[in-house]
Amino acid sequence: MAPAHSTDSRVSAGIVALAAIALLIGGAFAGLLFEGAHDFSGAWAAFDPYLLRVIRFTLWQAVLSTLLSVIPGLFVARALSRHPRFFGRAFILQIFAVPLALPAIVAALGILALYGRAGYFAGVLAVIGGGSWPGIYGLSGILVAHVFFNLPLATRLFLEALQTIPADQWRLASQLGMAARPAFRLIEWPTLRAALPGVAGLVFMLCITSFTIVLTLGGGPAATTLEVGIYQALRFDFDPTRAVTLTLLQIALTFIVVLALTPLGANVVGDTNLPVAQRRHLSVNRSETWLNALLIVLALLFVVGPMAATVMAGLSADLARLAGEATVRQATLTSAALAFLSALLSVMLSLALTMARRALALNSRTGRKTLLEHAADTGAGFVLVVPPIVVGAGWFLLLRLVGDVFALAPVMVVTVNAVMAMPFALRAVRPAYDAASERHERLCAQLGIAGWNRLMLVDWPSLRRPLATAFAFAMALSLGDLGVIALFGSDSVQTLPYLLLARMGSYRTEDAAGLALLLGLVCLALIVAAHWLGREEVRDA
């Protein structure tokens, strides 16, 4: 294969994309460091008992959420694995994918509609508790919401790990007449044990960086995490010194978690033998069948409950009046415009990094990755260490020195959400581009086709669907995000999540329910479109 030329325009595009990411992250750090250096003694004085309590609660809720999500998810995945064919199994797996598409604030509203003080289950819970039901705000609400999101995720990841067990092992176990318990100990558990650290680490990372859930369901200072503390310090107390301290602690914490997660989740496949026979499951006795069915049904009801409550509460709202409100229409248009621009920027940056990575790999003569190639390969993943609220806090502190922070809200929302969606967009774009390059690289080099002509004439047919998939997914993520707009939002710049939070804060729960239904349906439609486009691409290939 002909090597890429050293002046390949793809490398230049990748350098521009890396510079944009570096500017966004570096600007945030510059704002934090400038504020911290400006008042170092105040930053050190911020380490008070309240801060220690916030750190302790951040870790405690993440640990509990991880345990409550991962352990049940392991057993539900095993139950689904033991019964690979039954009516409704595919539908259950699709339902388990829905929480990934729902904005956190929509799920929080559904949980409140179900378990809140005036929720559908309030009467039953009051009878069980022997008195009035106080609601689900605080630690209990945070845990329920985190389990709602992460139990289906853990189940799907464990199920994928179980499906990697070679068919030879199942065939041998069947020939030996192995019972269910030794089969679990000798066949299933080694695979699950290998996957467990990576799954638990991922869930812990998601819980420790959870902002919207804690903001909406925390209920007060007693249930505050570092990210919510950053938001409160800037928007309510306007205490930049405390915000800097909380932000640096959040960065250190997420960096440690990501550093520990990287080796743990490297490989969940314990056996690399190729299967030579169709997988055969062991016969499952009646008692285990009923137990597995109970686990699956309980998990399904737990996941479906908040979604159904969101739909019911939304339909009971005055949707016609909401649609006629100028504020709602403006927030909808703002959300759509910002999400569109964010998704477009995310796809452009992802494609630039993908092309640069491929060109650098082809141009390598030593076989070793250069520093630039490493940056193109892992640069987008670095943003996972720095949550959106942290980036927003750094730029908030920096921009307030040069002008009106809230006037720059659209720029910050678009850029931060675009970069935060890049790791997901890259997963859709990179395999397709690498495959297209493998087929066409030599021919393009011989004919001298490069730059824009190559992209449109050669690569575009292979990239059209993956780019559409990445665009739809990035747009859904941006549309439902509350992290950045919570800091930069104002009466003049409001998105649907921001307006929904404002209606919840003013106790206009019916309006909030209607907005949640609208936001949830739009995000779900985008994710379904992304999934459909991805399946079509695989089918075409």
Side-chain angles (χ1 to χ4, degrees), residues 271-338:
D271 195 327
T272 56
N273 293 330
L274 294 176
V276 296
Q278 185 178 2
R279 176 173 173 175
R280 295 180 58 187
H281 285 264
L282 303 178
S283 59
V284 183
N285 58 45
R286 180 172 298 181
S287 60
E288 185 182 1
T289 299
W290 282 105
L291 179 60
N292 291 337
L294 179 62
L295 286 173
I296 295 171
V297 169
L298 289 177
L300 180 63
L301 291 176
F302 182 82
V303 174
V304 168
M307 294 189 290
T310 300
V311 175
M312 294 171 62
L315 292 176
S316 64
D318 192 348
L319 297 178
R321 178 181 59 79
L322 282 175
E325 288 188 17
T327 304
V328 175
R329 293 201 302 269
Q330 184 61 42
T332 303
L333 291 175
T334 301
S335 294
L338 296 182

Side-chain angles (χ1 to χ4, degrees), residues 50-306:
Y50 171 75
L51 180 58
L52 297 177
R53 187 167 67 249
V54 169
I55 297 173
R56 185 166 57 249
F57 181 81
T58 301
L59 295 172
W60 178 237
Q61 62 84 21
V63 169
L64 289 179
S65 298
T66 302
L67 292 175
L68 293 175
S69 302
V70 171
I71 295 176
L74 188 150
F75 288 103
V76 174
R78 178 179 176 271
L80 289 168
S81 177
R82 283 296 179 95
H83 303 277
R85 296 181 183 86
F86 63 85
F87 179 75
R89 186 179 187 273
F91 175 75
I92 292 173
L93 293 177
Q94 291 176 352
I95 290 293
F96 280 3
V98 171
L100 300 176
L102 284 182
I105 194 169
V106 174
L109 195 68
I111 290 170
L112 287 176
L114 200 62
Y115 305 109
R117 183 176 299 177
Y120 296 112
F121 287 168
V124 176
L125 295 172
V127 172
I128 295 175
S132 61
W133 174 242
I136 199 171
Y137 285 106
L139 179 60
S140 58
I142 294 171
L143 294 179
V144 169
H146 282 166
V147 176
F148 167 78
F149 280 107
N150 296 316
L151 171 63
L153 175 63
T155 299
R156 291 170 64 90
L157 292 176
F158 281 129
L159 187 59
E160 289 179 5
L162 288 172
Q163 289 174 347
T164 64
I165 298 176
D168 293 350
Q169 296 186 10
W170 290 110
R171 185 179 64 174
L172 180 61
S174 178
Q175 292 173 346
L176 296 176
M178 189 177 294
R181 183 172 298 179
F184 173 76
R185 179 170 57 87
L186 298 175
I187 299 177
E188 293 171 315
W189 174 241
T191 299
L192 292 172
R193 182 178 57 195
L196 182 59
V199 175
L202 175 61
V203 173
F204 184 82
M205 178 68 180
L206 294 173
C207 295
I208 210 171
T209 57
S210 175
F211 170 73
T212 305
I213 291 298
V214 181
L215 180 65
T216 54
L217 296 176
T224 299
T225 58
L226 287 170
E227 292 200 3
V228 174
I230 297 168
Y231 167 75
Q232 293 172 343
L234 289 177
R235 287 303 300 258
F236 296 131
D237 304 329
F238 196 72
D239 187 351
T241 303
R242 180 175 291 276
V244 168
T245 305
L246 291 168
T247 303
L248 293 177
L249 286 173
Q250 179 69 34
I251 292 173
L253 198 58
T254 52
F255 181 78
I256 292 172
V257 173
V258 170
L259 200 63
L261 176 60
T262 301
L264 292 178
N267 183 19
V268 298
V269 181
D271 195 327
T272 56
N273 293 330
L274 294 176
V276 296
Q278 185 178 2
R279 176 173 173 175
R280 295 180 58 187
H281 285 264
L282 303 178
S283 59
V284 183
N285 58 45
R286 180 172 298 181
S287 60
E288 185 182 1
T289 299
W290 282 105
L291 179 60
N292 291 337
L294 179 62
L295 286 173
I296 295 171
V297 169
L298 289 177
L300 180 63
L301 291 176
F302 182 82
V303 174
V304 168

Side-chain angles (χ1 to χ4, degrees), residues 94-95 97-103 307 311 476 479 517-531:
Q94 291 176 352
I95 290 293
V98 171
L100 300 176
L102 284 182
M307 294 189 290
V311 175
L479 196 65
L517 179 61
L518 171 63
L519 181 61
L521 289 177
V522 173
C523 291
L524 184 61
L526 287 171
I527 293 295
V528 169
H531 179 67

Side-chain angles (χ1 to χ4, degrees), residues 8-28:
D8 197 322
S9 59
R10 295 177 293 180
V11 178
S12 301
I15 293 174
V16 172
L18 287 173
I21 298 173
L23 177 63
L24 182 68
I25 305 300

